[in-house]
């Protein structure tokens, strides 16, 4: 379904729930990270693109400025209305799906943007827990909406940081800027090459169809959450590695310096560091390969990234490994898990003509292993957040 159809759905659901038309509808996409995993919070490089699945928020501001009541409803929450007093909002009182939109509103109010009462309806087609940034899509749609509605004048890079703060301080996930940057900075037909230290970005053409290619997302349906568990452990290992090596962040370690770091770090921390350092180099190599030879030339880099995450960073899982292996064995040019790991989705770069063969091979490999059937769909690089209606 198209982004504008989803926006129309959000507007009509808003009308049904709140009995009036919204002031507008804003949409922000989920993302696939082509390469560059866990490099963002190490001030390194990433290369994501927005996908054609998005969160749409329909919003109407209350006319009375003194009224700080917010009412929120979504297709996630069984159409139950969540009602809060914005003036009394604290990090502790936000929970469930509404913590994402309210987290953004809370951050913007903390920044002095005087958001008053409003009604909001959220409709999203980004599957949650699939590693496709369903939460960043909500955050970026809401941040874009209130930036417009309040004429706050925040730049896209500032909106990225608003979404990240909501994620870090309200949801409690110690994540970087990858997801929000992809959702806000993307343009159709391109990937976003982002330097996470400076927030400088460059759009890199990613014309898959002209090369006869497509990217399949294989959602393993193994759900993950980054507010708990492995994600923050990995982040802590990276911080430890940087501290022992005496650098501000692992961004400052070159691949050529890895051999001499081996003796300074314990074995596990060394492997964590090696993933980050080699992954940064793979992002740079992928950008160069896209520029020189186009998307047919990046397959091996994608697969090398997966092996590094599986063996050195240890954030894959059997279902993701099987998705990658079965895609590769059936003609994929490259494949890797995408996103934070511990579940979620893999991507496979394949010839358009091989789509059915790869789909069938992955589905049957999952059935044979006794795993829940994966959801498989093609994605193409889409536009970033904007007002739709
Ligand atoms: C999640 C986080 C991002 C990034 C990726 C891993 O998606 O939200 O900030 O760290 O994991 O690359």
């Amino acid at each position: 379904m198209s982004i504008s159809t989803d926006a129309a759905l959000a507007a009509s659901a808003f009308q049904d729930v709140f009995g009036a038309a919204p002031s507008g509808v804003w949409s922000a996409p989920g993302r696939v990270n082509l390469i560059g995993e866990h490099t963002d919070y190490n001030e390194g490089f990433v290369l994501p693109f927005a996908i054609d699945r998005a969160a749409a928020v329909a919003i109407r501001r209350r006319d009375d400025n003194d009224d700080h009541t917010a009412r929120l409803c979504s297709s996630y929450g069984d159409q139950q209305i969540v009602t809060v007093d914005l003036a009394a909002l604290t990090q502790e009182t936000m929970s469930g799906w509404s913590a994402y939109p309210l987290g953004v509103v809370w951050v913007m109010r903390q920044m002095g943007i005087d958001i008053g009462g409003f009604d909001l309806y959220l409709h999203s087609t980004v599957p949650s827990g699939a590693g496709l940034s369903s939460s960043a899509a909500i955050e970026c749609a809401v941040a874009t909406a209130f930036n417009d509605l309040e004429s706050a004048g925040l730049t896209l890079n500032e909106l990225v940081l608003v979404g990240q703060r909501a994620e870090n301080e309200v949801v409690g996930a110690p994540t970087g800027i990858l997801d929000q940057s992809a959702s806000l900075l993307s343009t159709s037909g391109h990937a976003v090459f982002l330097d996470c230290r400076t927030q400088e970005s460059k759009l890199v053409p990613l014309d898959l169809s002209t090369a006869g290619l497509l990217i399949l997302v294989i959602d393993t349906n193994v759900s993950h959450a980054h507010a708990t568990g492995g994600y923050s452990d990995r982040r802590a290992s990276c911080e430890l590695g940087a501290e022992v090596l005496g650098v501000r962040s692992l961004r400052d370690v070159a691949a050529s310096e890895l051999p001499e770091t081996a003796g300074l770090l314990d074995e596990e921390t060394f492997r964590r560091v090696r993933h980050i350092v080699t992954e940064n180099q793979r992002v740079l190599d992928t950008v160069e390969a896209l520029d020189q030879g186009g998307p047919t030339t990046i397959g091996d880099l994608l697969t090398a990234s997966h092996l590094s995450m599986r063996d050195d960073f240890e954030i894959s899982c059997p279902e993701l490994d099987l998705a990658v292996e079965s895609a590769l064995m059936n003609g994929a040019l490259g494949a890797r898990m995408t996103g934070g790991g511990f579940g979620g989705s893999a991507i496979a770069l394949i010839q358009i003509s091989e789509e059915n063969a790869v789909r069938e091979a992955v589905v049957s490999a999952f059935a044979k292993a006794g795993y829940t059937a994966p959801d498989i769909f093609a994605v193409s690089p889409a536009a970033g957040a904007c007002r739709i209606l």
Side-chain angles (χ1 to χ4, degrees):
M1 216 175 302
S2 78
I3 300 294
S4 53
T5 315
D6 293 329
L9 275 175
S12 86
F14 182 101
Q15 174 88 41
D16 290 348
V17 173
F18 298 113
S23 324
V25 181
W26 290 258
S27 170
R31 63 101 189 91
V32 150
N33 192 15
L34 189 59
I35 195 161
E37 227 64 85
H38 286 254
T39 44
D40 61 350
Y41 56 78
N42 289 294
E43 300 189 315
F45 305 109
V46 293
L47 188 62
F49 62 86
I51 59 174
D52 36 4
R53 293 184 174 223
V57 288
I59 300 179
R60 187 168 63 99
R61 291 156 95 199
R62 219 174 294 291
D63 296 333
D64 175 1
N65 268 344
D66 293 330
D67 184 350
H68 290 115
T69 306
R71 296 188 297 172
L72 302 95
C73 189
S74 84
S75 44
Y76 285 119
D78 293 336
Q79 307 286 356
Q80 298 273 4
I81 297 179
V82 175
T83 304
V84 296
D85 175 1
L86 294 176
L89 212 56
T90 65
Q91 284 147 292
E92 292 71 37
T93 52
M94 291 177 262
S95 65
W97 70 267
S98 64
Y100 296 95
L102 286 173
V104 166
V105 170
W106 179 82
V107 169
M108 291 177 96
R109 283 173 57 94
Q110 293 275 310
M111 292 167 73
I113 300 164
D114 187 22
I115 300 173
F118 62 86
D119 294 332
L120 178 153
Y121 189 92
L122 163 69
H123 169 75
S124 179
T125 54
V126 190
S128 71
L132 301 173
S133 295
S134 57
S135 52
I138 301 170
E139 290 153 6
C140 294
V142 173
T144 304
F146 284 108
N147 194 38
D148 279 1
L149 286 167
E150 303 297 332
S151 304
L154 298 181
T155 64
L156 292 179
N157 278 348
E158 287 168 335
L159 292 174
V160 165
L161 300 179
V162 166
Q164 185 200 18
R165 264 190 76 185
E167 193 79 39
N168 294 170
E169 297 176 30
V170 179
V171 180
T175 49
I177 58 171
L178 164 68
D179 308 341
Q180 293 81 7
S181 301
S183 187
L184 286 156
L185 304 177
S186 286
T187 300
S188 174
H190 293 75
V192 180
F193 172 42
L194 174 71
D195 179 335
C196 298
R197 170 168 279 171
T198 61
Q199 274 192 292
E200 271 174 60
S201 59
K202 193 179 100 180
L203 293 167
V204 177
L206 185 60
D207 187 358
L208 297 168
S209 57
T210 304
L213 301 177
L214 62 78
I215 289 180
L216 277 184
V217 167
I218 304 162
D219 175 4
T220 62
N221 283 312
V222 177
S223 185
H224 69 284
H226 295 321
T228 50
Y231 186 95
S232 56
D233 293 346
R234 294 305 179 276
R235 189 169 178 149
S237 291
C238 293
E239 281 161 9
L240 172 68
E243 196 188 318
V244 174
L245 298 176
V247 290
R248 171 172 144 173
S249 72
L250 295 182
R251 155 71 175 276
D252 297 313
V253 182
S256 59
E257 293 170 324
L258 273 175
E260 66 201 68
T261 66
L264 303 171
L265 301 165
D266 66 83
E267 191 272 336
E268 185 184 275
T269 309
F270 173 68
R271 284 187 292 113
R272 305 297 189 243
V273 168
R274 183 165 61 187
H275 166 70
I276 300 301
V277 172
T278 58
E279 185 79 347
N280 272 329
Q281 188 58 47
R282 280 186 289 272
V283 176
L284 298 175
D285 292 347
T286 304
V287 172
E288 199 186 325
L290 283 172
D291 182 47
Q292 304 285 312
T296 43
T297 62
I298 66 169
D300 289 347
L301 288 160
L302 302 187
T303 305
S305 168
H306 184 76
L307 299 182
S308 178
M309 290 187 284
R310 185 190 70 185
D311 301 335
D312 274 356
F313 217 57
E314 295 181 280
I315 54 172
S316 189
C317 65
E319 291 84 350
L320 286 167
D321 292 339
L322 185 62
V324 167
E325 278 156 29
S326 50
L328 289 173
M329 274 165 49
N330 288 277
L333 279 65
R336 61 186 290 277
M337 52 147 281
T338 188
F342 308 101
S345 299
I347 53 169
L349 178 69
I350 64 167
Q351 307 278 359
I352 293 172
S353 54
E354 304 276 315
E355 181 176 356
N356 283 341
V358 175
R359 279 174 180 271
E360 281 163 23
V362 174
V363 167
S364 90
F366 269 59
K368 212 166 150 196
Y371 297 154
T372 304
D375 290 323
I376 305 180
F377 51 93
V379 286
S380 47
C386 63
R387 183 172 187 158
I388 302 283
L389 291 174

